[in-house]
Amino acid sequence: MNKKSSLILALDVLSRDEALRLSEQLGSYFDAIKIGYPLILHAGLGIVGEICTSIPVIADLKIADIPNTNRLICEAVLGAGATAIIAQAFPGRDSLLACADCARDFAADLFVVTEMSHPGAEEFMAPVAERMARLAVETGASGVVAPATRPERIRLIRSMIGERLIISPGVGAQGGSPGGALEAGADYLIVGRQIYGSADPLASTKELIESLRTG
């Protein structure tokens, strides 16, 4: 991704028309748009190709299956035009390697989830987040997902993965601090409901960008 604003828009709307409208309206302010199961299941896989004509698309399917199934999922979404995928590490090295190999075949990025941004992630993910970060490095992932809601976790993960990218969800509706996440070591902030759920998404985007500029 070419860094302009250090922002990724999580577009978890359900309507194809709304997704395309928001992509066209806001795309120039973001470095990528992240879409997942909600939009793809409602609008169809073709929505990936429609959005990525104007802005890179990260397919956030949190891929977590046996190696062959992981490969099939990756081939489908990367073949549709996505430039990056997000996968879970907990199914193990062989499953994650299937995603990493497929990403390399498509010259795409792989981001590995170390810890999600919601409170429940502290129950099972946080205790093994360091192991998952190491696996991301060992499999050659482009980067990891670490929570803006817990900047101290970003700082820890950064110390383990070196120069690999950190994309950080949880800004806005979940209470994560944009400045805190960036200061802790995040490269990109993922923001969703704060923007697409706003009465004026464009104004909310500009306000967020201005707040990052002024600290």
Side-chain angles (χ1 to χ4, degrees):
M1 289 181 287
N2 293 321
K3 186 179 287 190
K4 300 177 296 184
S5 63
S6 298
L7 293 174
I8 295 169
L9 176 61
L11 197 55
D12 292 324
V13 299
L14 304 182
S15 162
R16 171 185 172 273
D17 290 343
E18 184 180 6
L20 293 177
R21 178 180 61 79
L22 288 168
S23 298
E24 292 171 4
Q25 180 186 36
L26 305 176
S28 62
Y29 296 92
F30 289 87
D31 296 320
I33 287 181
K34 181 176 77 69
I35 66 174
Y37 286 112
L39 179 56
I40 291 174
L41 289 174
H42 280 80
L45 185 58
I47 191 66
V48 175
E50 291 184 277
I51 293 175
C52 75
T53 57
S54 56
I55 185 171
V57 169
I58 300 172
D60 183 10
L61 303 181
K62 293 186 177 67
I63 304 165
D65 215 306
I66 65 170
N68 186 62
T69 303
N70 278 3
R71 178 182 60 80
L72 294 173
I73 294 169
C74 291
E75 287 178 347
V77 75
L78 292 174
T83 56
I85 49 175
I86 293 176
Q88 299 279 15
F90 63 76
R93 183 182 304 272
D94 55 351
S95 289
L96 191 56
L97 273 172
C99 297
D101 290 344
C102 195
R104 279 189 286 271
D105 289 343
F106 282 86
D109 290 317
L110 166 65
F111 294 101
V112 177
V113 179
T114 60
E115 188 175 329
M116 294 167 70
S117 53
H118 66 300
E122 296 187 78
E123 294 181 65
F124 296 109
M125 299 191 78
V128 294
E130 294 171 54
R131 292 177 62 187
M132 292 193 282
R134 283 194 292 270
L135 190 56
V137 172
E138 292 166 7
T139 54
S142 303
V144 302
V145 181
T149 48
R150 292 183 287 280
E152 72 281 2
R153 303 298 293 169
I154 297 176
R155 194 169 287 110
L156 172 64
I157 297 302
R158 169 58 70 200
S159 72
M160 301 181 63
I161 67 167
E163 296 301 314
R164 284 175 168 79
L165 297 174
I166 294 178
I167 62 176
S168 192
V171 172
Q174 292 187 62
S177 162
L182 291 172
E183 184 180 346
D187 295 288
Y188 295 91
L189 305 173
I190 300 172
V191 58
R193 284 170 284 174
Q194 177 183 352
I195 301 299
Y196 70 75
S198 167
D200 189 339
L202 181 57
S204 296
T205 297
K206 291 179 177 178
E207 181 179 344
L208 176 58
I209 291 173
E210 183 61 25
S211 72
L212 293 176
R213 287 174 178 163
T214 59

